[in-house]
Amino acid sequence: MSAHPSAPNPFKQPKAVWAVAFACVISFMGIGLVDPILPSLSSQLHATPSQVSLLFTSYLVVTAVAMLVTGFVSSRIGAKRTLVVGLVLIVLFSAAAGASGSIDGIVGFRAGWGLGNALFIATSLAVIVGSASGGFAGAIILYETALGIGIAIGPLLGGELGGISWRGPFFGVSALMAIALIATIVLVQPTPTPARRASIADPIKALRHRGLLTMGLTALCYNWGFFTVLGYAPFPMDLGTHELGYVFTGWGLLVAFFSVFGAPWLQSRLGIARSLYLNLALFALDILVIGLFTDSKTTLIVAVIVAGAFIGINNTITTQAVMTVAPVERPVASASYGFVRFIGGGLAPYAAGKIAEHSGVHLPFYIGAAAVALGIGVLASGHSLLAEAERVQAAEAAGHTPAEERRETLEKQALELGSAG
């Protein structure tokens, strides 16, 4: 490819976009928030690592399944009300988790938290893309920046508050999400309900499109490795709550930096396909290093922090590619893609804990590395679709027509194929 999309400036935005982005930061804190307190929860609540890892599993699996209903809900009550409902659920269930006295209770409340998270995440991406200035790519970069900052701050907050009490991180997120809820209510304008009401089946039907399915399955494989590192690596590190918070804060800072700066730079030089192939290969090697040197605390810490760079690059480039190749409305594409990828993220930590209990601490990471490597093969099966996504993004960056016209054509083709099938 001779032309690649240049990186837009994502930081000049309306107040409503910043309100939603702030809420995204707090929401994404929930992913890394519990990392520093996992060993503490295991010790104080007398739970095994696999039981504690259910905090990730219940949260992400429910998030994945609930993604299927986000379009159904938002098309009936509007995007702003859907955001508000999601934020209210997060506030309530995160506070309930902090007030709980058992691991089963926390796991259950994290599931409710995941429901609110699904309503918020899928809708927030669509709101930011629809309202942000600076173009589609800039909106995605802003969204991924919020993800990276949230992931970076989450462990730091979790470590500091967790050093006081394991309940602190949960109450902290509840309080911050209440602020985000108020900002959303005040700053985000009411949105009309769409002319066409989405069906619960729309995200599943969208997976019949090869591009969306290919990207979703690639993300499932990648997230298996990602959440194996995120959900199980704290145990073999054998660090205190504060120290774990600092390690994963460094990891999250790399996620944020490479989401904003690394991904556009790499894509401008190598293009979408080669950037993703290279990034996934390096990420698989990094997880393999974690598996080979799990007994070396220094190597383990460095490899976990370095993983943040690969995660940041992958998140930004993949999300842009998904939204470009999908021949359906962006909220449906987001829900469909989120459903598939979060399934991998939800199952991986629990599987890692169980595998480690029976086969040692190295094997979960070997499997995580193999899963990411498998994702390269899955992605390669849709290579021509990545080339098309790159062409469309280049045209948008150059100010040429049209992505929207192309998307309408693809939507019609998809409908024709659906009716023919």
Side-chain angles (χ1 to χ4, degrees), residues 161-253:
L161 295 180
I164 301 171
S165 167
W166 64 262
R167 300 178 189 273
F170 298 109
F171 289 131
V173 163
S174 182
L176 288 171
M177 266 308 194
I179 297 172
L181 171 62
I182 294 170
T184 300
I185 292 173
V186 172
L187 298 177
V188 177
Q189 295 299 315
T191 53
T193 57
R196 187 184 76 85
R197 291 189 172 186
S199 164
I200 292 178
D202 283 350
I204 296 296
K205 291 179 180 178
L207 291 173
R208 293 184 295 183
H209 176 62
R210 184 185 171 195
L212 193 52
L213 179 61
T214 299
M215 298 302 294
L217 291 176
T218 301
L220 187 154
C221 295
Y222 151 80
N223 271 281
W224 191 281
F226 172 9
F227 281 96
T228 296
V229 173
L230 190 64
Y232 189 73
F235 292 101
M237 277 188 201
D238 193 27
L239 296 174
T241 301
H242 289 289
E243 290 78 12
L244 277 173
Y246 301 146
V247 169
F248 280 96
T249 296
W251 167 85
L253 288 172

Side-chain angles (χ1 to χ4, degrees), residues 27-35 56 59 110 151 226-227 230:
S27 175
F28 291 129
M29 278 185 187
I31 296 175
L33 176 87
V34 297
D35 263 301
F56 284 104
Y59 175 75
R110 281 279 285 180
I151 287 178
F226 172 9
F227 281 96
L230 190 64

Side-chain angles (χ1 to χ4, degrees), residues 10-212:
F11 300 110
K12 295 181 179 179
Q13 303 294 346
K15 290 181 180 179
V17 172
W18 283 115
V20 177
F22 172 72
C24 285
V25 169
I26 311 303
S27 175
F28 291 129
M29 278 185 187
I31 296 175
L33 176 87
V34 297
D35 263 301
I37 61 172
L38 291 179
S40 176
L41 282 173
S42 179
S43 173
Q44 295 186 35
L45 298 181
H46 308 291
T48 65
S50 61
Q51 288 175 315
V52 172
S53 69
L54 284 172
L55 269 71
F56 284 104
T57 299
S58 65
Y59 175 75
L60 291 170
V61 169
V62 170
T63 295
V65 175
M67 282 285 182
L68 299 177
V69 305
T70 56
F72 177 86
V73 174
S74 64
S75 67
R76 283 160 175 77
I77 67 175
K80 179 177 179 177
R81 289 193 183 98
T82 304
L83 289 176
V84 169
V85 170
L87 289 169
V88 167
L89 289 175
I90 295 172
V91 169
L92 293 177
F93 281 107
S94 57
S100 178
S102 69
I103 193 66
D104 290 339
I106 298 172
V107 169
F109 290 127
R110 281 279 285 180
W113 188 342
L115 173 60
N117 200 50
L119 292 171
F120 175 78
I121 285 179
T123 311
S124 64
L125 177 56
V127 169
I128 287 178
V129 168
S131 304
S133 59
F136 165 68
I140 295 295
I141 291 174
L142 178 64
Y143 181 80
E144 294 300 338
T145 302
L147 184 151
I149 293 174
I151 287 178
I153 296 176
L156 182 62
L157 180 67
E160 295 303 312
L161 295 180
I164 301 171
S165 167
W166 64 262
R167 300 178 189 273
F170 298 109
F171 289 131
V173 163
S174 182
L176 288 171
M177 266 308 194
I179 297 172
L181 171 62
I182 294 170
T184 300
I185 292 173
V186 172
L187 298 177
V188 177
Q189 295 299 315
T191 53
T193 57
R196 187 184 76 85
R197 291 189 172 186
S199 164
I200 292 178
D202 283 350
I204 296 296
K205 291 179 180 178
L207 291 173
R208 293 184 295 183
H209 176 62
R210 184 185 171 195
L212 193 52

